[in-house]
Amino acid sequence: MNRPTYRTLIPSLFASLMLSISFAALAGSPKSATPTLVTKDATAQTVALYKNMAKLSATTLLFGHQNTTAYGVKWIGEPHRSDVRDVTGSYPAVFGWDIGHLESGDEANLDGMKFTFVTDEIKASYLRGAINTISWHMRDPITGGSSWTKNPSIADIIPGGKSHKKLKATLDTFVAFNETLKVKNTEGKLEYVPIIFRPWHEHNGDWFWWGKGENLNKEEDYIALWKFTVEYLRDTKGLNNLIFAFSPDRSRMDLDKLPASYLYGYPGDDYIDIIGLDNYWDLGHSYNPLPLTETRAHFIASAEAISDIAASKNKIAALSEGGQEKLGQDKFWTEMILESLLTNEKTKRISYFLVWRNANKAREKMDHFYAPYVGHKSADDFVKFYKHPFTVFENELPNVYQ
Ligand code: BMA
């Protein structure tokens, strides 16, 4: 594999810079130098986070991990532990959480993590300066089945639908949860923890009840679902600590039909703050028949695509979810991720990369992990990734809330 070095990168950087400039001109230049949130009266900390993430995205990659302090491959429920921290000495910069089953009033989420624990961890990580993001594998409000129920439920729950009340009741559970995310600031006043909120993810796939599938839900209904979600939380309920992230799945994004393929279901620039992408597909997905040498090029191309789309809309691009399950590649971190995202100015503008959870092997009886643990064969490479000046973990974060 021909890997770019800084020296060989300079001419190509210049070329890609010219390309980016012409793309921005074609797509409409950024409206202002600093991006603004779709929530006009967002809290000062939320505004600061968004602006700082935009600024940092030019030179760094924030590393994120799902459920990092809840459990790891060989442990569960040990306070302050994280596989990422065991290996590198630092927590990730971005903490991912999932609130699936909150909508049913359950005590714990779909992976058995108590919501009181999630609240405590979000508050604690915020006070240490880290960033939190929430996704929602919610049950199907119509059948009561899991997220993976292939029922076309969107039309029934959006405004005008016969079960619209169920959507409101569902969102109300989030409003109540959000109320628990308040901490005392240095002046003794309560403030809400800013949250990157990422509902309705991977909607271009065929595995969730809110998905596109083969004629499962209509695109216009999905858009109405997003618009209602933002308007209800922001305008009706007055939540002002949310940064809204859109996150289709790479496996159903056609690189030959960009940006249209990425933008399937996009509710509009007034509803989205982060141009996210969930990418497992290019990183060694078991259903992808192509060799990693080819998928690596696709990983780069898809990162460039979301970077371009975000630049044209004056928003932030992120790899909102992804990774390589079981990490079979020893040098996954430096060769697949770091070098790919250092390819050019576009790939460098990706704000963060969040890898999915490290399921506890004993409890879940499966090998399902995306960050290395102590003794794993990619652990040394992960330390190199951690030490590289481009990557940022919690202990290297500047104050992003000021
Ligand atoms: C999926 C898998 C599932 C899990 C869900 C929510 O991708 O990890 O096992 O229940 O995310 O965390």
Side-chain angles (χ1 to χ4, degrees):
M1 207 185 314
N2 227 346
R3 274 178 228 116
T5 62
Y6 278 110
R7 211 168 290 130
T8 58
L9 264 178
I10 292 169
S12 65
L13 280 184
F14 182 72
S16 62
L17 186 65
M18 297 319 286
L19 260 178
S20 317
I21 291 168
S22 51
F23 180 91
L26 272 177
S29 326
K31 289 159 216 137
S32 61
T34 34
T36 48
L37 289 164
V38 299
T39 303
K40 296 298 165 237
D41 56 357
T43 66
Q45 297 76 27
T46 311
V47 171
L49 173 62
Y50 192 57
K51 291 192 171 163
N52 282 316
M53 284 178 74
K55 213 194 283 174
L56 284 168
S57 72
T59 48
T60 64
L61 176 73
L62 308 176
F63 179 75
H65 186 212
Q66 186 75 3
N67 298 352
T68 198
T69 49
Y71 48 79
V73 175
K74 297 178 180 174
W75 60 273
I76 188 159
E78 292 180 36
H80 316 300
R81 195 166 173 191
S82 145
D83 281 340
V84 169
R85 188 169 178 236
D86 280 358
V87 174
T88 65
S90 174
Y91 288 126
V94 180
F95 286 66
W97 309 102
D98 195 278
I99 55 168
H101 296 187
L102 179 77
E103 71 285 355
S104 326
D106 292 12
E107 196 188 6
N109 91 335
L110 72 164
D111 302 315
M113 202 173 47
K114 282 196 174 162
F115 291 113
T116 48
F117 171 83
V118 178
T119 292
D120 290 347
E121 290 298 300
I122 288 178
K123 292 202 287 193
S125 58
Y126 170 68
L127 290 171
R128 293 193 310 266
I131 300 166
N132 285 280
T133 177
I134 290 180
S135 56
W136 199 344
H137 284 82
M138 71 170 73
R139 288 191 172 108
D140 173 20
I142 303 301
T143 64
S146 78
S147 283
W148 293 268
T149 304
K150 294 188 189 187
N151 193 57
S153 306
I154 298 183
D156 286 347
I157 61 167
I158 54 180
K162 61 177 191 288
S163 300
H164 181 48
K165 271 193 197 150
K166 288 192 178 171
L167 176 58
K168 285 199 210 164
T170 294
L171 294 175
D172 286 341
T173 64
F174 177 70
V175 174
F177 180 74
N178 194 57
E179 275 303 303
T180 70
L181 305 180
K182 282 185 288 198
V183 294
K184 257 194 196 144
N185 65 20
T186 44
E187 290 146 28
K189 283 198 192 133
L190 284 176
E191 65 190 32
Y192 288 89
V193 178
I195 297 293
I196 298 172
F197 188 51
R198 189 173 69 88
W200 318 128
H201 68 302
E202 300 172 8
H203 62 283
N204 55 346
D206 61 3
W207 44 92
F208 295 139
W209 60 258
W210 59 87
K212 174 183 180 188
E214 297 224 14
N215 302 317
L216 192 62
N217 293 287
K218 286 192 198 138
E219 181 177 20
E220 69 217 54
D221 290 349
Y222 178 77
I223 289 173
L225 175 66
W226 246 112
K227 288 188 171 173
F228 182 80
T229 302
V230 174
E231 286 166 3
Y232 188 72
L233 296 177
R234 181 192 61 189
D235 308 334
T236 310
K237 296 292 169 179
L239 270 52
N240 53 11
N241 62 320
L242 303 182
I243 295 176
F244 292 97
F246 182 70
S247 56
D249 193 82
R250 164 64 187 103
S251 66
R252 305 301 159 92
M253 175 177 127
D254 187 343
L255 290 175
D256 294 330
K257 294 193 183 114
L258 287 168
S261 174
Y262 173 86
L263 293 172
Y264 170 82
Y266 185 68
D269 295 351
D270 295 339
Y271 294 87
I272 297 296
D273 298 306
I274 293 191
I275 297 295
L277 180 67
D278 286 14
N279 198 347
Y280 297 91
W281 190 244
D282 295 327
L283 297 177
H285 192 284
S286 56
Y287 292 171
N288 190 339
L290 299 173
L292 287 177
T293 42
E294 261 181 72
T295 65
R296 183 179 183 273
H298 294 170
F299 177 64
I300 295 170
S302 63
E304 289 174 340
I306 58 166
S307 178
D308 273 345
I309 293 167
S312 74
K313 296 178 177 303
N314 198 20
K315 298 188 187 290
I316 294 173
L319 288 161
S320 36
E321 197 186 300
Q324 185 178 82
E325 192 184 41
K326 292 187 261 193
L327 292 161
Q329 221 182 343
D330 299 13
K331 294 192 175 161
F332 173 77
W333 302 101
T334 53
E335 291 185 358
M336 214 56 191
I337 303 301
L338 186 58
E339 290 178 17
S340 297
L341 295 182
L342 283 172
T343 300
N344 55 41
E345 289 306 310
K346 295 181 185 193
T347 58
K348 282 188 195 168
R349 276 201 312 263
I350 300 295
S351 166
Y352 68 89
F353 172 51
L354 179 135
V355 299
W356 205 239
R357 64 198 193 96
N358 277 14
N360 178 262
K361 203 174 166 143
R363 188 181 60 170
E364 305 206 29
K365 314 246 176 314
M366 62 175 175
D367 268 325
H368 178 60
F369 62 91
Y370 294 85
Y373 50 86
V374 171
H376 183 270
K377 64 177 182 168
S378 80
D380 289 347
D381 192 56
F382 190 57
V383 172
K384 282 190 193 142
F385 174 82
Y386 161 72
K387 285 187 177 159
H388 194 282
F390 184 58
T391 61
V392 171
F393 284 57
E394 185 189 274
N395 65 1
E396 302 157 303
L397 269 175
N399 185 349
V400 290
Y401 295 107
Q402 220 167 49

